[in-house]
Amino acid sequence: VAVVAGRDKGLTGTVTKVDRKKGKVVVEGRNLVKKTVKRTEESPGGITTKEAPLHYSNVRLIDPKTGYPVRVAYRFLEDGTKVRVTVGSRASGSVVPRPEVLKVRRSPLPVADGPKDTASQAATRSTFQGFAASALPES
């Protein structure tokens, strides 16, 4: 990705962590901040540098053909597969493949019934007999 805003504007890096709830990403070697660490038995303490998160709007993917930072949109190919496509003034319109890490993580969940699931026979059984069957007083 390329950083498009902030003090590291114009530099590139690799995303190492994503926080979807806060909308932030950590880019390797970018947005370094000084952090004071208290001395403990295993570490001497002092001032260390660490990578701080950036808001996702301040980073852009790099177009694989042109090398410029571009926006990404989702499109469907003729065979129906959903792909990421580069869009913008400097974009080539090429397909951006998904990283292998995301392909592994998107495996389907198991479909087996759990211990707290209602059986399909019990869910489809009709238990309502109608108002005539109930003991309503005649008036």
Side-chain angles (χ1 to χ4, degrees), residues 4 46 133:
V4 296

Side-chain angles (χ1 to χ4, degrees), residues 73-77 81-85 87:
Y74 287 95
R75 302 281 188 260
F76 290 95
L77 296 178
T81 57
K82 187 177 179 182
V83 294
R84 299 188 302 174
V85 179
V87 294

Side-chain angles (χ1 to χ4, degrees), residues 65-130:
K65 290 186 180 176
T66 63
Y68 288 109
V70 292
R71 293 176 290 123
V72 175
Y74 287 95
R75 302 281 188 260
F76 290 95
L77 296 178
E78 291 80 22
D79 61 351
T81 57
K82 187 177 179 182
V83 294
R84 299 188 302 174
V85 179
T86 59
V87 294
S89 61
R90 293 183 165 180
S92 63
S94 61
V95 174
V96 180
R98 292 184 62 83
E100 291 298 322
V101 173
L102 295 179
K103 290 180 182 176
V104 171
R105 209 170 36 182
R106 291 183 67 98
S107 60
L109 295 173
V111 189
D113 288 339
K116 295 186 177 181
D117 288 336
T118 305
S120 61
Q121 297 86 11
T124 57
R125 188 176 66 224
S126 178
T127 57
F128 180 67
Q129 302 296 323

Side-chain angles (χ1 to χ4, degrees), residues 3 5 16-17 35 46 49 52-53 71 75 93 96 109 122:
V3 181
T16 57
K17 186 178 175 185
K35 179 81 175 163
T49 58
R71 293 176 290 123
R75 302 281 188 260
V96 180
L109 295 173

